[in-house]
């Protein structure tokens, strides 16, 4: 089975129109191994059916771009305006999220026709030299779609895992990589001082975008940030060190084997309550398997893998809740005094000095669909891709934060409570969707994403 | 759109083999208006996806017939044995019912192949002159499948209603029937005395079946009863009267308009708690609609219908919980002293004297897929078909009741707590599946079936 | 510590007035070992604080007797009318049951003053030669209070058990009875036939009461029945046998030791779900104790007792849910074919032939506060007292059942769904409160009452 | 009714021993208007019974001081060690919090004896010139007890409110204050820059304490901080302004009247979900009252008060969740661009420049037991007392934060997820318990504390 789009090298797109086509077709490529029935499954409250992702991302362009900026635009279907609204209360009522599993109608064929309809009209709009706000909205819509590509990958992983037959999304990679061992944990030190965090306000960037768009340069594609990354502002950092790579499965297994899940002193109170109520004994997708030496096998998008193979055990551990990441760090601090999760500011300060993505970053386009072991190289590795890294920072607004005006202001701002920030993207994040200032966020008990951790510690 | 099997006249089948084919193909006919996506939806805890019904009914034949009685039978798939088990603990663990919505794999095509595989081997078994127990099991499996045909119809009705677009299963009937009014409520009196209730023990019947089967007569198809209908036993009945027809929508609307849902004195304590917790103001599938004179429209398998058209308003009210049926009867007793629900014994005593099904019984094969108004004829009407009738009887075992041996003993017996008996079948019950002694049962809060009521009263 | 009222021999009261005083003072005697703090505890949804029982029983007399029948009666407190209403919706809104744990005010002293106030005015009413309905209501109120005495005993047992210190209500009985062994299980056979079940309609009895009251005879005290025991009616019974005594703890332990709680085939579906959700492995109040030979100790109103002492192990097992009683019977049927729970009609038919209470009936006045072993005598034993016996009968209305008019109609009738009938009273039922026709009822998962079982079987 | 201890002026205690006696007797003074029954009520999951607070605060001294530092100390009761443990998993298992409502035993008299026992032995220990760690633990225990004094006040407020009779804790103040109007909202500006936040590490302070203790100075009482206030560290602040006083009830009423609770755009997503699920339309303890001009009355520890009296309406609004405080700020930003909640760093930076407590701070000792209006004075007011002020800061560890060693490390650190910081104390916070660096924290849906808000805005 071939998945051409996943393997497609990200050509430097020559402009927004090309990038639009590339992103939109990548969504379809992701669903190509899946049947209409697969695209119906909604296996946990966090997830949505794949078909819904395909529809909702089109809805976003129709609602925020075509209805506002394309003269005489006619909607594909009069009900889709409310049917595929996710959570924008300003636009009116919408179906409860749990109802999405009942959307057998419209059939997949209609959703694909909806996508074509939207694409045709975006093409028409782009050909008509639209105003800068329309271009900004299209760019936002593409990043929105890329977020949903990642969600589609993680949701289908959960759906296939929930199916008692545990089918694989794709077959295992034909040639297994040579036996690789993650390098010993190294620490990179950073001195104290003031640093600049976040992205410039959208209006400043957009002025720049607008000029660049005239020049048809690719920068307009890359130079994007969500409102929650603004404004760029000053933060004081005390001296700290950052681990050169994320924590691996093998390291995490040592925590498990040291009774990590049975020692309340290692856990936040809410975390302890959670793991006991849920019966968690290991990361999501780990399953006891007495037929393997390690005693574990792990479910991946390419099927079950024994934890014993080094490409699994030496890869960054994924599908941790914040509570588990935090407990691991507390456990590690017994050997490495001061070991903890980094703040999002420490993380960004370190990451800003590196190319994004890096040369070997394991992102969606690499088609691994799973984290891979770090290389033997020295210095900071795997900041981008592999696993989202839980930080010690709660998700709140930056000083002077202003949401976008109108319904788009609901995109990020209204989730600023009881969630933690994650940084760096994962193995299913599209390469053009990640950047040093990107703030992902989830409630601390969330595990269905590729979420892991990198240690930090105080001082140099 | 045609639905041949639904309209297919029930030919007197010449033997079990013909009947097997007829019942099995009726299941497929029921799903013919539905897509693979439709067959994925599971919209309430009581329901299952349509695809699951198609698989589980085949599983029943494979498990209880082919594996036991066909030499050298090879299973279609090694996992289906546990995957499609519904609730037979004796056979081992099974997936939680809620997981059925995740069964995108096996795809529908595999399930259809599974059905063919099972059918081929049942044919082979039947051709090999099997022993009587195998024949009894096949007969049981066909009644099991017919139960699931009814469930399939009610589950898909709920699924389509849950979809915010509320699509119809089939288009409205082309020619609407002439304006019909249900006759005024008449009462049929029955004197006191001893009566015989239930069916002879299975072993007695089966001895008779066995002889009849040799004669290839059709009786073996009809002469069937579940274990919970046995043993036939003596019951003393005080004098009672039974309403000649079920309660209509129009009559039920008078209850609603008389503040029926706001007066606690009309309700059982558990019913009052339920309607307040659920916010019930009317039967399931009734929706306020200020554009209609009655103020209501009703969702049917053939789409929305205003309550005002006489073929709806004069038809038996459906989709009531026991609590609503009971409250209606209490309300009615203010005008008709002693009005109440009949016991299942009173119902059966009356029904035993009538042909089953009757000449105009509105069952699945009539393709109305909704109750229809009573005729102007006098005497007991609509005992069979239209709506299941809630009785005042809790579902318990008859004196001397013995479940079937082995796993089949879990079929009926283990549900004998906290459920109420319903009698008579509904507009989606197959005609060869109903009989005077048939005991259906559901928890008293259940509404997704076509469940209504017929009044009874003490004395003559 | 002495508890005079509990030990007080039930003198044949010379009239309703004496009986009123005896019943009312028995409530206070029950609370005498308890502090105001103890009387605040509400440890499960079924239970109420002891203080509330003291208040609500007085409210019953005030509401249904004094306000209606005593001219110029002034309420003790203007808020008590709604504050101490339990569930009579006809009388207006009332506090949610769960709020009773917040009733620190009114203080216990006020409740005791309330009781005195009510008692004084009932005395005044009785002295004024009230009409028969007032006398009927007072009699009803006394039976209501006796029901609450039993609830008070079971609620305080649960409260003290919930307290992590597990304090005893009373000290152990000073002199332990001689070592006693329950006799082997004997069966009493009953032939088939018609029998009369239930009590005459209230109006018929009350006419009789009225005449007897003039004669100041004691019969008016005894000759009482709740509305749900009427009307007396004909029932046909097939031949059956009844066990001579209830199932003992030792017998039930054999069921546990035979993996009774781990074998789904022994359980109703709802029962299996319940014991797994709740983690039940034994009756309520049984606690594993490796320091005893049996491995169990049992919490009683007189403190912990090892299961090993014969006065515990040979006594009827108590604190079973219906599900456990039913599962035990199914397990027993493997050795005793046809073993099952009796119907309430079989039970009453057998009990009607015996004196009630019997000479040694273990009821509240015996002060054991726990079941005791059966004697060596032959014939039916322990029908009254010791443990309420779960029957196979769901709680529904008898043919022709009519609730009392007005709010009192809510007393029994509105609970006729999803509950099972229990018969015979327990070790904390007052002796003048039990009779052959008495129908107690609880949901099948209920365990906090002294509820056990007696086996029946088909045939003679 | 007098409450001497509440009104007792806080004398400058001459040493830890005097302070110990003062704090311990203040707990008893708080319970003096309450009965043993009142001290049993636990009316919401956040609260504990008053009796439990009296016991647990003694347990703290016994566990962390007497058992470790007083030679040959004998525990008051062998079970209290586990019975009154709140949440210290390191010390072993403890009863579930919800069980505290079942603690009718030990009776209140025993708890009072327990307090005396502990006090006697602490006296003995203090007389024996204990080591500095013992003194630090006693100081910690006193602050622990003061926290529980505040909780006792808020828990009993909730308990009395839950009681359907809504009794008052104390009578209204005899002389109502003169009609007072809160001054118009003024803003105090702060320039950008680096600032020092938090308290020095405990070990540094304790070295100082130790020296001061020898001198018997009072500083040891005051110079205390919890571990979560450390270490003192550098934070960069952008320019900001702080409102001179908290938001008043009258101002909050304008938000309600402007449909504040019906406009999703004003709310965090989690907040909108919460207010709809809970049905919140106003702060906790506000009750619609059509008999008042404002339409509202408010429950206070001194009984119901109409919102219309200026001492209520002009006082800071209390009993808000974080969600409500945040929604109010968003609503206010439409008139005051940039209006928002302050960060805890902004708050502390401003507060550090003011005396704590201030001359008229409305804390527990003022006996108002409710917020009072701001004075006409200019400048920052009411930072200390009246209401805890929700900040925009999530509760996390400061850079380099280390919990106390051992079980005491569970005091604060394990709650650092999904909670928000509040600052400044309330009208029921003891005066010696508050300081500029004090960090209170609660989940964002919490309302049973006296929690309100003060606005901030960007820039000067």
């Amino acid at each position: 089975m071939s998945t051409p789009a996943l393997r497609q090298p990200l050509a430097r797109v020559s402009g927004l129109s090309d990038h639009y086509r590339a992103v939109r077709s990548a969504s379809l490529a992701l669903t190509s191994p899946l049947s209409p029935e697969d695209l119906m499954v909604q296996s946990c409250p966090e997830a949505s059916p794949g078909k819904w992702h395909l529809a909702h991302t089109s809805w976003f362009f129709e609602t925020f771009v075509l209805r506002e900026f394309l003269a005489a635009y006619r909607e594909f279907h009069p009900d889709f305006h409310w049917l595929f609204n996710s959570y924008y209360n300003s636009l009116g009522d919408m179906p409860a999220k749990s109802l999405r599993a009942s959307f057998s109608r419209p059939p997949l064929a209609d959703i694909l026709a909806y996508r074509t309809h939207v694409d045709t009209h975006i093409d028409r709009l782009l050909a008509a030299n639209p105003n800068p706000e329309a271009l900004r909205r299209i760019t936002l819509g593409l990043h929105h779609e890329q977020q949903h590509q990642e969600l589609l990958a993680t949701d289908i992983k959960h759906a296939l895992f929930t199916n008692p037959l545990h089918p694989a999304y794709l077959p295992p990679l034909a040639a297994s990589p040579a036996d690789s061992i993650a390098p010993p944990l190294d620490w990179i030190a950073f001195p104290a001082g003031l640093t600049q965090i976040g992205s410039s306000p959208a209006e400043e960037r957009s002025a720049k975008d607008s000029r660049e768009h005239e020049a048809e340069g690719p920068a307009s594609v890359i130079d994007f940030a969500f409102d929650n990354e603004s404004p760029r502002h000053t933060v004081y950092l005390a001296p700290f060190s950052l681990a050169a790579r994320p924590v691996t499965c093998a390291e995490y297994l040592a925590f498990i084997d040291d009774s990590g899940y049975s020692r309340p002193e290692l856990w936040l109170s809410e975390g302890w309550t959670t793991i006991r109520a849920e019966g968690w004994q290991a990361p999501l997708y780990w399953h006891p398997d007495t037929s393997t030496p390690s005693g574990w096998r792990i479910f991946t998008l390419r099927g079950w893998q024994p934890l014993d193979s080094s490409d699994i055990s030496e890869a960054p551990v994924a599908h941790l809740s914040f509570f588990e990441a935090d407990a691991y760090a507390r456990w590690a601090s017994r050997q490495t005094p001061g070991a903890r999760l980094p703040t999002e500011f420490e993380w960004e300060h370190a990451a800003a000095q590196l190319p994004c993505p890096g040369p070997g970053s394991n992102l969606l386009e690499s088609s691994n669909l799973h984290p891979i072991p770090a290389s033997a190289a020295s210095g900071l590795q795997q900041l981008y891709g592999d696993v989202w890294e839980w930080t010690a920072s709660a998700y709140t607004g930056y000083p002077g934060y202003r949401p976008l005006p109108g319904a788009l202001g609901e995109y990020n701002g209204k989730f600023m409570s009881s969630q933690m920030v994650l940084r760096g993207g994962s193995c299913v994040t599209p390469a053009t969707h990640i950047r040093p200032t990107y703030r992902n966020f989830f409630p601390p008990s969330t595990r269905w994403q590729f979420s892991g951790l990198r240690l930090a510690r105080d001082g140099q």
Side-chain angles (χ1 to χ4, degrees), chain A:
Chain A
M1 179 184 282
S2 74
T3 55
L6 288 176
R7 294 226 172 92
Q8 145 196 319
L10 182 75
R12 283 185 73 81
V13 292
S14 63
L16 186 56
S17 183
D18 286 353
H19 189 53
Y20 179 88
R21 272 187 290 273
V23 169
R24 293 283 285 173
S25 64
S27 296
L28 294 180
L30 266 172
T31 61
S32 65
L34 300 170
S35 69
E37 290 156 277
D38 292 332
L39 296 172
M40 282 292 297
V41 182
Q42 182 179 31
S43 56
C44 63
E46 295 94 338
S48 295
K51 183 164 71 172
W52 185 88
H53 286 298
L54 293 179
H56 169 67
T57 47
S58 304
W59 170 92
F60 193 94
F61 286 109
E62 183 173 73
T63 300
F64 293 114
V65 180
L66 295 176
R67 284 165 56 109
E68 293 200 31
F69 295 99
L70 183 59
Y73 174 70
R74 291 194 50 186
E75 292 179 346
F76 178 75
H77 190 290
D79 286 322
F80 285 13
H81 180 51
W82 58 267
L83 188 65
F84 291 117
N85 181 1
S86 53
Y87 57 62
Y88 296 86
N89 291 309
S90 311
L91 301 175
D93 288 339
M94 70 215 69
K97 184 172 182 181
S98 60
L99 290 186
R100 294 173 191 166
S102 76
F103 290 11
S104 64
R105 320 280 176 92
L108 179 60
D110 286 14
I111 299 306
L112 296 177
Y114 181 34
R115 291 185 67 87
T116 301
H117 176 87
V118 164
D119 291 351
T120 301
H121 288 85
I122 291 284
D123 271 352
R124 197 168 300 168
L125 177 65
L126 282 172
N129 193 22
N131 74 28
E133 178 62 14
L135 296 178
R136 273 195 297 272
R137 297 274 185 95
I138 291 172
T139 305
L140 175 64
L142 291 172
H143 280 279
H144 174 260
E145 180 133 4
Q146 290 181 310
Q147 284 188 310
H148 280 275
Q149 286 166 8
E150 174 150 5
L151 291 171
L152 205 156
T154 51
D155 291 0
I156 199 66
K157 181 172 182 179
H158 196 273
L160 296 172
F161 179 70
T162 300
N163 185 317
L165 297 175
H166 306 302
Y169 169 70
L170 283 181
L173 286 172
S176 176
D179 203 66
S180 56
I181 303 292
L185 201 58
D186 198 11
W187 296 87
I188 314 298
F190 296 85
L194 291 170
T195 189
Q196 294 299 305
I197 293 295
S199 178
S200 303
E203 49 273 28
E204 297 175 20
R205 277 203 326 281
S206 75
K208 203 172 59 158
D209 283 7
S210 173
R211 289 190 303 276
E212 282 164 351
H213 184 71
E214 290 163 22
E216 287 294 301
S220 65
V221 172
I222 305 302
D223 186 14
F224 169 85
F226 287 116
D227 58 5
N228 63 6
E229 300 168 46
S230 292
R232 191 162 173 82
H233 65 288
T234 302
V235 167
Y236 176 83
L237 295 179
F240 72 99
S241 297
L242 205 59
R245 56 161 179 77
V247 171
T248 66
C249 284
E251 289 166 339
Y252 196 83
L253 183 58
F255 163 72
I256 295 175
D257 289 345
D258 196 29
S259 304
Y261 283 80
S262 309
R263 295 159 58 182
E265 70 273 18
L266 297 175
W267 295 81
L268 289 170
S269 176
E270 190 187 3
W272 183 246
T273 302
T274 300
I275 67 169
R276 299 226 292 185
E278 303 290 338
W280 292 348
Q281 301 284 339
L284 180 60
Y285 299 124
W286 287 41
H287 199 272
D289 184 343
T290 54
S291 75
T292 66
S294 66
W296 295 96
R297 68 176 191 271
I298 294 181
F299 184 73
T300 77
L301 280 163
R302 294 182 180 279
W304 288 107
Q305 307 286 345
L307 178 54
D308 309 82
S309 88
S310 70
D311 50 338
I312 296 293
S313 65
E314 294 293 310
V317 62
H319 300 296
L320 298 183
S321 65
F322 170 81
F323 297 128
E324 289 161 303
D326 172 81
Y328 178 87
R330 196 165 291 113
W331 174 78
S333 73
R334 315 231 156 164
Q335 285 201 306
T336 306
R340 55 172 172 81
L341 300 180
T343 67
E344 64 166 322
F345 309 116
E346 292 169 338
W347 192 98
E348 181 173 330
H349 178 68
Q353 307 164 15
L354 296 173
C356 171
S361 290
N362 178 24
L363 292 149
L364 179 62
E365 288 76 4
S366 71
S367 290
N368 287 311
L369 305 175
H370 201 75
I372 59 174
S375 77
S378 64
L380 280 170
Q381 281 193 65
Q382 298 184 305
L383 278 168
Y384 301 109
D386 292 299
V387 291
W388 286 101
E389 301 177 15
W390 285 108
T391 72
S393 300
Y395 177 54
T396 58
Y398 285 165
Y401 166 63
R402 297 286 180 283
L404 290 179
L408 285 170
E410 299 188 52
Y411 197 117
N412 286 305
K414 72 180 180 184
F415 302 107
M416 290 179 171
S417 70
S418 309
Q419 309 214 24
M420 301 302 289
V421 173
L422 304 95
R423 292 296 196 115
S426 82
C427 56
V428 291
T429 306
T432 53
H433 184 59
I434 195 63
R435 56 196 168 268
T437 59
Y438 196 112
R439 310 172 78 198
N440 204 350
F441 50 90
F442 285 107
S445 60
T446 309
R447 310 208 300 174
W448 102 115
Q449 291 297 299
F450 286 90
S451 45
L453 80 149
R454 179 187 302 270
L455 292 174
R457 67 178 185 206
D458 303 324
Q460 294 186 260

